[in-house]
Amino acid sequence: DATISFTSIPQTYTDLLILASARDTVDYYGSYYIRFNGETSTTVTGKWLYTDGYQAVYSNTANSILWNFPTQTANTFSNSQLYIPNYTGSANKVIGVETTTENSVITEAYEQYAGLTWANTAAITRIDFGTFAGSDAFAQYSTFSLYGISSSGAGSSPYATGGDTIATDGTYWIH
């Protein structure tokens, strides 16, 4: 498929986590986008960091986060995670993206987007992963999993033990 979508995302969680194991069907890295709520005009900004020391200020006015997947090494998939805290809040959304890629033709790679911000105050109800080019597609066995993360009140939820000091702010435990 060229597009994978999570629609009607429940608004009952605090944060969202998406784990992806994906591969492209084209001859080189396929370029994919991540869009929120079907939006095509809001800007995503931040910084892209790459393992070879390359850094670039990232700004995309097409409201998409560029995501690359390998094709050169047979049966090898990129593994990525996308973390969105406070996805239902009324502020701009901060997004964390990390990707690891093995590619025996070129090199292994680690990519991270730092300080990504989707300049939109709407709650996220839909996330689309799609292709920029008509010939790109997610290869067979590519998977995308969406997890909702809840913050239970500190007085009623289990918490980790250890550390010299344990405190709570009423919502989170701090070690």
Side-chain angles (χ1 to χ4, degrees):
D1 285 341
T3 304
I4 307 251
S5 298
F6 292 105
T7 61
S8 303
I9 296 172
Q11 302 295 291
T12 54
Y13 299 103
T14 309
D15 306 337
L16 294 177
L17 173 67
I18 297 170
L19 300 178
S21 177
R23 178 177 170 76
D24 196 296
T25 59
V26 296
D27 292 334
Y28 194 60
Y29 279 94
S31 294
Y32 288 85
Y33 63 76
I34 304 167
R35 289 192 178 141
F36 304 104
N37 297 349
E39 180 70 50
T40 59
S41 61
T42 305
T43 303
V44 175
T45 58
K47 184 174 266 197
W48 178 52
L49 309 169
Y50 194 70
T51 50
D52 67 359
Y54 177 76
Q55 296 182 27
V57 173
Y58 182 81
S59 180
N60 192 339
T61 57
N63 179 25
S64 55
I65 300 168
L66 178 64
W67 214 352
N68 296 314
F69 295 106
T71 59
Q72 291 93 341
T73 306
N75 301 315
T76 301
F77 289 71
S78 286
N79 294 293
S80 301
Q81 72 173 13
L82 177 95
Y83 191 81
I84 309 167
N86 196 22
Y87 73 103
T88 62
S90 60
N92 291 341
K93 307 304 179 274
V94 177
I95 304 149
V97 179
E98 292 182 274
T99 300
T100 57
T101 300
E102 177 189 348
N103 188 341
S104 64
V105 174
I106 298 174
T107 186
E108 296 80 23
Y110 172 78
E111 298 174 66
Q112 181 178 30
Y113 292 91
L116 275 182
T117 302
W118 180 50
N120 194 308
T121 59
I124 295 174
T125 59
R126 177 187 180 106
I127 302 174
D128 297 305
F129 301 88
T131 180
F132 286 114
S135 62
D136 287 355
F138 293 109
Q140 183 179 16
Y141 306 117
S142 293
T143 60
F144 290 78
S145 302
L146 174 66
Y147 298 91
I149 299 172
S150 293
S151 171
S152 298
S156 62
S157 65
Y159 60 92
T161 59
D164 294 331
T165 305
I166 301 173
T168 182
D169 66 0
T171 302
Y172 298 98
W173 291 98
I174 299 106
H175 291 251

